[in-house]
């Protein structure tokens, strides 16, 4: 549809925000509202009230203020009542290029009495320049509860208001795609009224509800977005369940073999989760399951059990890790476990020689390797499995989804088990991994003592070293970790190297200190890790390469330098490297001076050992974008819904979506929903296989 005022240039700016259709535009919700219903003339203003005036700029003045150059910007305004209002902005020097005498503006703010000049004034008022062209009816912008939009290029909040108004006035009401029964039961307004109220709230609208995204119109739009998202995920999941996969047999022999492998009695949670996995594997459809559990909860052991089911059915298992160090960790762990069973476990990583790789690939292709462990090298084109039955993917966060798919295409629809060491609150897991079934290990192996966590500032580091020394003298081992800052790994490495020399020569001259960082060759990395595992190295200085998966039960001390630089979930991962044996373990977070936010983060770590709680805090403190990293996390780009703020609506929508798809009012309604989903939502959520 053609919208007056949107030429090619503006269309492009809108498109950059993902707004290419009228529907997209209408779904672009204001992020804030202002009550500008109280429009007065300057003469009518009283100090203390919030008000809107429409006036003309008379004079402007930028000045250095008192002693400090605060860049005070002042302007005077006059309106039809001939009275004068003073506007003041600190750090406002940029306004000299924005406001000029003669301009007509709408000002909104708190009226004050300026004792210095004896005039009425507003400090930092919101304002909008009332341009002469296409400003629409002035009543769109003032004299009402006014929507504020995030600008898209040069399409500013005013222009958005005008466009929204034009569209809402210019087109016939849109159909409501939400199933009627759902809408009526939840007493949600219909879509068209919701959209109108979203952009132009009624005069009696409650500003607090609006700005909390809890007006009826907003709730309706948020629910709708989540409803379709959940419908899409549910359909995708049920479709995957229908695809043909391998039905593994679970007989006594398999059970015997698992028993023979197990070095410990599994916890109740491990048993339950294995049951869920085994049921999936026995079904003639591909498994797509996410295995969640706090660090040290014993996910790897469960994965090993699953691998046995595959191997005993004449299939191969692949284990994918994000880094070489982790891959080799897994390799040793699995080789150790499977020795008794006579399985051949192979490691395939990028840094191996071409000859070595070629040799290994041959063995894998011939089916002579039962369990292949590796990094993305395993995903390379020319690795052929004889019969891949199970793919275990560690640390899903670090994998590009494409790689995952690529991998899966190698076998005939193998079962997929994704392990994540970053616990995610359940509702979020269900949404982010909505196409996966979720299993949670919510129990630690017995005999673990909670890790004691302490916060120490840099100047008291000597105390840290002396307690570390006591532990080492008692036969235990310790990690000292430095953060890697992405853009300067070299610098972090240097810091680690320097600290390594300092600790080795000056602080702990009698101890065996090792060094591990990302720039070492893979042999050196492995050698450093192995020496620590065997207990030869007592203190391992490392950059964050040990973040996940390292398993040395005798290590009881984790010192994290510059802990303020780490995310909470990352700190929790690091801390999870200790506390793996029966001895009391310690984690020391060393920081510089902290601001309030930093203190709160560190306090969260000191107070809690619960990975799910920490993940939730991390999410709250950093926001979902940063928490999940880049787009590869698969986090859907939501328009109005916010998975943190709207968790309850998300839960409700999931429930409703599942119920609706299980019992639609009729075939016609279901078809309508699927069609709507396909044409409107597939593109955005990548629900490519819907329907
Ligand atoms: P995760 O991968 O969940 O972080 P791991 O599988 O690495 O945890 O297990 C952590 C440690 O606990 C390992 O040393 C592992 O051998 C041990 N472990 C796992 N399951 C049990 C159990 N049921 N009883 C005792 N120790 C266990
Ligand atoms: Mg592990």
């Amino acid at each position: 549809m053609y919208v007056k005022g949107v030429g090619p240039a503006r269309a492009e700016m809108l498109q950059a925000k993902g707004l290419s259709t009228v529907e997209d535009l209408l779904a672009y919700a204001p992020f804030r509202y202002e009550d500008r219903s109280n429009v007065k003339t300057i003469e009518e203003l009283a100090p203390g009230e919030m008000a809107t005036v429409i006036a003309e700029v008379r004079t402007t003045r930028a000045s250095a203020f008192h002693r400090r150059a605060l860049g005070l910007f002042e302007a005077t305004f006059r309106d039809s009542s001939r009275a004068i209002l003073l506007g003041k902005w600190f750090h406002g020097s940029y306004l000299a290029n924005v406001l000029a005498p003669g301009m007509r503006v709408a000002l909104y703010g708190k009226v004050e009495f300026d004792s210095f000049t004896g005039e009425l004034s507003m400090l930092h008022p919101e304002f909008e320049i009332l341009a002469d062209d296409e400003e629409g009816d002035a009543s769109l912008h003032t004299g009402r509860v006014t929507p504020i939009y995030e600008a898209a290029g040069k399409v500013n909040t005013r222009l958005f208001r005008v466009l929204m108004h034009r569209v809402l006035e210019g087109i016939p009401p849109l159909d409501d795609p939400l199933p009627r029964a759902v809408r009526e039961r939840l007493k949600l307004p219909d879509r068209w009224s919701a959209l109108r109220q979203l952009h132009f709230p009624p005069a009696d609208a409650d500003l607090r509800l609006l700005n909390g995204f809890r007006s009826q119109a907003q709730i309706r739009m948020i629910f709708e977005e989540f409803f379709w998202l959940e419908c899409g995920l549910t359909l995708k999941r049920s479709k995957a369940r229908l695809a043909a996969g391998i039905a593994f047999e679970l007989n006594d022999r398999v059970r015997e073999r698992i028993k023979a492998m197990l070095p410990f009695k599994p916890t109740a949670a491990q048993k339950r989760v294995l049951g869920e996995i085994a049921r999936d594997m026995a079904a003639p459809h591909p498994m797509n399951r996410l295995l969640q559990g706090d660090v040290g909860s014993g996910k790897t052991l469960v994965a090993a059990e699953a691998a046995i089911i595959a191997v005993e059915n004449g299939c191969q298992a692949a284990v994918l890790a994000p880094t070489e160090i982790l891959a080799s960790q897994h390799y040793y762990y699995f080789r150790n476990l499977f020795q008794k069973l006579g399985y051949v476990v192979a490691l395939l990583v990028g840094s191996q020689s071409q000859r070595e790789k070629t040799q290994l690939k041959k063995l894998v292709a011939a089916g002579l390797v039962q369990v292949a462990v590796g990094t993305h090298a395993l995903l390379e084109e020319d690795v052929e499995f004889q019969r891949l039955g199970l793919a275990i993917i560690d640390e899903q966060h670090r994998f590009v989804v494409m790689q995952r798919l690529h991998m899966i295409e190698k076998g005939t629809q193998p079962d997929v088990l994704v392990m994540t060491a970053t616990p995610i609150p359940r509702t979020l897991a269900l949404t982010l991994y909505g196409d996966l079934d979720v299993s949670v290990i919510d129990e630690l192996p017995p005999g673990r003592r909670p890790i004691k966590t302490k916060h120490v500032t840099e100047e008291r580091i000597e105390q840290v070293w002396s307690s570390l020394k006591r532990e080492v003298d008692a036969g235990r081992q310790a990690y000292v970790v430095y953060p890697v800052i992405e853009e300067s790994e070299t610098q972090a490495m240097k810091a680690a190297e320097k600290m390594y020399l300092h600790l080795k020569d000056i602080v702990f001259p009698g101890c065996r200190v090792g060094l591990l960082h990302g720039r070492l060759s893979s042999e050196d990395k492995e050698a450093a890790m192995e020496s620590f595992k065997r207990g030869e190295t007592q203190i391992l200085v490392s950059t964050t390469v040990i973040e996940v998966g390292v398993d040395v039960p005798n290590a009881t001390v984790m010192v994290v330098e510059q802990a303020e630089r780490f995310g909470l979930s990352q700190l929790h991962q690091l801390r999870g490297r200790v506390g793996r044996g029966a001895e009391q373990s310690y984690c020391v977070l060393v920081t510089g001076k902290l601001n309030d936010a930093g203190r709160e983060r560190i306090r969260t770590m000191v107070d809690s050992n619960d990975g799910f709680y920490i993940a939730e805090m991390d999410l709250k403190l950093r926001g979902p974008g940063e928490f999940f990293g880049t787009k590869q996390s698969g986090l859907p780009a939501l328009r109005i819904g916010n998975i943190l703020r709207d968790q309850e609506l998300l839960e409700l929508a999931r429930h409703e979506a599942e119920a609706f798809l299980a019992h639609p009012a009729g075939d016609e309604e279901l078809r309508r929903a699927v069609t709507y989903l396909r044409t409107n939502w597939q593109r955005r959520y990548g629900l490519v296989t819907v329907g």
Side-chain angles (χ1 to χ4, degrees), residues 345-403:
V345 182
L347 176 69
L348 199 86
V349 292
S351 66
Q352 281 163 332
S353 74
Q354 210 49 52
R355 248 190 76 223
E356 213 173 341
K357 276 193 255 186
T358 315
Q359 186 62 23
L360 283 167
K361 282 179 203 166
K362 268 192 201 142
L363 294 176
V364 171
L368 296 171
V369 165
Q370 276 84 35
V371 181
V373 184
T375 52
H376 51 271
L378 252 189
L379 299 168
E380 279 168 18
E381 301 281 349
D382 51 347
V383 180
E384 293 285 344
F385 285 85
Q386 191 201 35
R387 191 162 186 239
L388 181 61
L390 174 69
I392 297 163
I393 304 178
D394 198 5
E395 273 304 288
Q396 136 108 8
H397 282 161
R398 306 193 176 198
F399 269 96
V400 185
V401 175
M402 276 312 290
Q403 282 181 324

Side-chain angles (χ1 to χ4, degrees), residues 45-352:
L45 294 178
E49 70 177 336
M50 299 294 294
T52 301
V53 296
I54 299 192
E56 191 181 298
V57 181
R58 250 187 76 221
T59 64
T60 63
R61 187 163 69 109
S63 62
F65 184 60
H66 293 307
R67 286 151 292 151
R68 272 179 286 155
L70 283 177
L72 178 71
F73 183 86
E74 291 174 292
T76 54
F77 301 90
R78 188 168 59 180
D79 70 358
S80 53
S81 70
R82 318 292 301 163
I84 296 289
L85 177 72
L86 182 65
K88 292 202 225 183
W89 290 265
F90 291 106
H91 300 289
S93 33
Y94 68 97
L95 289 172
N97 301 320
V98 179
L99 289 175
M103 283 179 172
R104 228 159 59 82
V105 295
L107 291 158
Y108 167 76
K110 185 169 180 192
V111 182
E112 284 165 28
F113 181 73
D114 190 76
S115 52
F116 199 66
T117 57
E119 314 222 50
L120 290 180
S121 71
M122 285 183 180
L123 184 60
H124 292 219
E126 297 286 335
F127 70 89
E128 273 179 28
I129 297 164
L130 304 179
D132 286 332
D133 61 328
E134 57 171 8
E135 72 185 26
D137 190 342
S139 69
L140 278 185
H141 312 293
T142 51
R144 60 158 69 234
V145 174
T146 311
I148 313 288
Y149 300 88
E150 204 177 286
K154 285 189 181 142
V155 182
N156 59 18
T157 185
R158 280 181 78 71
L159 189 50
F160 267 118
R161 252 173 249 145
V162 173
L163 295 178
M164 295 301 180
H165 187 72
R166 267 183 205 155
V167 172
L168 286 170
E169 292 302 313
I171 64 174
L174 296 172
D175 278 348
D176 195 333
L178 263 194
R180 176 188 289 268
V182 173
R183 199 179 77 220
E184 282 173 359
R185 182 158 19 110
L186 301 178
K187 300 197 169 52
L188 298 171
D190 73 83
R191 187 151 193 258
W192 190 243
S193 347
L195 282 172
R196 296 179 76 92
Q197 292 181 16
L198 182 72
H199 296 293
F200 299 103
D204 60 350
D206 183 331
L207 199 67
R208 268 173 323 173
L209 283 185
L210 281 171
N211 283 326
F213 280 79
R214 283 296 171 272
S215 72
Q216 281 304 305
Q218 288 161 315
I219 288 176
R220 143 87 212 206
M221 297 311 293
I222 294 168
F223 175 85
E224 179 182 327
E225 178 161 46
F226 286 149
F227 182 80
W228 294 120
L229 172 65
E230 295 296 340
C231 276
L233 291 169
T234 305
L235 285 173
K236 196 169 169 183
R237 202 163 51 218
S238 53
K239 191 174 178 206
R241 284 208 187 101
L242 294 178
I246 307 163
F248 293 98
E249 203 183 320
L250 243 183
N251 50 30
D252 286 346
R253 180 187 147 77
V254 177
R255 287 193 192 92
E256 274 313 307
R257 299 288 272 174
I258 290 179
K259 232 186 225 158
M261 176 276 294
L262 283 175
F264 334 90
K265 205 165 145 315
T267 61
Q270 281 172 320
K271 277 191 202 151
R272 188 192 66 237
V273 165
L274 179 67
E276 290 163 5
I277 292 171
R279 210 175 318 127
D280 280 5
M281 290 183 74
H285 308 290
M287 166 170 78
N288 282 298
R289 191 167 277 280
L290 174 72
L291 178 53
Q292 275 212 78
D294 210 343
V295 260
S297 60
K299 294 182 289 291
T300 323
L301 196 69
V302 173
E305 294 176 304
I308 293 176
I309 299 177
V311 173
E312 292 304 319
N313 278 270
C315 286
Q316 291 165 297
V319 181
L320 275 161
T323 65
E324 290 202 4
I325 288 204
L326 251 184
S328 41
Q329 280 283 316
H330 278 318
Y331 167 67
Y332 289 117
Y333 189 87
F334 284 116
R335 197 182 59 176
N336 204 11
L337 286 177
F338 292 148
Q339 214 153 29
K340 291 168 260 184
L341 306 184
Y343 294 179
V344 177
V345 182
L347 176 69
L348 199 86
V349 292
S351 66
Q352 281 163 332

